Amino acid sequence: MEIVPLEVEHLRQVLDLGFSVFDVNTKPYTSWSLTTVAEHLDTRDSSCWVALDAERVIGFVLGSMEFELRDDWAYLEWIAVDPAYQGRGIARRLVDTCCEKLFASGASRVVTDVESSNTASATLMEHTGFTAQVTVTLFVRPNPLKPTSEAAKTGLARRPLIRSGRLVGDNRLPNM
Ligand SMILES: CC(C)(COP(=O)(O)OP(=O)(O)OC[C@H]1O[C@@H](n2cnc3c(N)ncnc32)[C@H](O)[C@@H]1OP(=O)(O)O)[C@@H](O)C(=O)NCCC(=O)NCCS
């Protein structure tokens, strides 16, 4: 197993691995898409890596220097390891590789977010130097006239084209 920088030729496998492990009907995985992966490749100082077994992508991490409008905070946004390869320390190596590059790029801290029931991800982060800080709970008020449809449950309610993932920023310069 080797860890190498994410390249365009890995896109298809990264996208498919993400779709196989992320529930795209549930926050925070709803924005997983080709655009999400591609915009990381297009982003300044990104830190995106894949774990390879021969030519096969068995894990990936997508990080960037883009976290909200902070110039000095980096964001480790997506990580996944093929279930057949989990529990072997691959995610730990991906996290460490990703963070080393982000710190070398000038990040004063790396931020990540973990869905509250994701024990594997929370343990991974706690064991790689992250500490829990702010907790944000998504409160949902359903429209009483529009009960959740079968289409929504099966993902057919997703927008056909996702123009942007969770990276944010408007390229405005800070106020001087
Ligand atoms: C989270 C995930 C990436 C971990 O990958 P992994 O390669 O199995 O993790 P590692 O083997 O490197 O383990 C790293 C640490 O996390 C802990 N860990 C991993 N899976 C765990 C689990 N299911 N329950 C509890 N702890 C777990 C390990 O004990 C290890 O800590 P240690 O080395 O100090 O004992 C993997 O479970 C996954 O791909 N999940 C689905 C995608 C996902 O939820 N991604 C996160 C949100 S973007």
Side-chain angles (χ1 to χ4, degrees):
M1 198 277 293
E2 59 174 342
I3 293 181
V4 300
L6 171 70
E7 302 288 351
V8 173
E9 71 240 34
H10 303 127
L11 272 179
R12 172 86 258 171
Q13 290 189 72
V14 168
L15 188 65
D16 287 346
L17 176 52
F19 275 125
S20 74
V21 296
F22 301 136
D23 179 354
V24 296
N25 295 310
T26 311
K27 279 288 277 179
Y29 310 111
T30 45
S31 62
W32 182 250
S33 69
L34 175 59
T35 306
T36 297
V37 188
E39 72 181 349
H40 274 85
L41 275 174
D42 256 350
T43 301
R44 171 183 67 97
D45 288 335
S46 68
S47 180
C48 300
W49 305 85
V50 290
L52 294 180
D53 182 3
E55 296 292 300
R56 182 173 165 208
V57 172
I58 56 167
F60 65 82
V61 62
L62 307 183
S64 70
M65 290 295 293
E66 312 284 329
F67 184 76
E68 299 186 348
L69 297 182
R70 290 285 307 225
D71 257 351
D72 61 333
W73 291 11
Y75 193 15
L76 192 165
E77 189 174 3
W78 299 97
I79 185 163
V81 171
D82 184 322
Y85 291 82
Q86 289 178 7
R88 302 186 197 179
I90 295 171
R92 174 190 280 278
R93 285 183 58 188
L94 286 165
V95 169
D96 287 342
T97 305
C98 179
C99 290
E100 278 163 24
K101 164 101 190 288
L102 293 170
F103 289 138
S105 297
S108 62
R109 62 182 63 184
V110 178
V111 178
T112 192
D113 42 21
V114 176
E115 194 265 326
S116 56
S117 68
N118 196 337
T119 310
S121 187
T123 309
L124 165 67
M125 296 313 169
E126 282 164 359
H127 290 199
T128 52
F130 290 80
T131 51
Q133 307 256 318
V134 179
T135 300
V136 176
T137 303
L138 196 67
F139 287 85
V140 178
R141 177 171 172 170
N143 181 344
L145 301 177
K146 197 175 176 187
T148 306
S149 67
E150 284 307 309
K153 281 186 203 155
T154 56
L156 296 175
R158 278 167 65 82
R159 288 185 218 280
L161 176 62
I162 298 172
R163 293 190 186 278
S164 180
R166 286 191 287 156
L167 295 181
V168 294
D170 56 9
N171 291 322
R172 277 182 300 185
L173 292 171
N175 291 333
M176 305 303 276

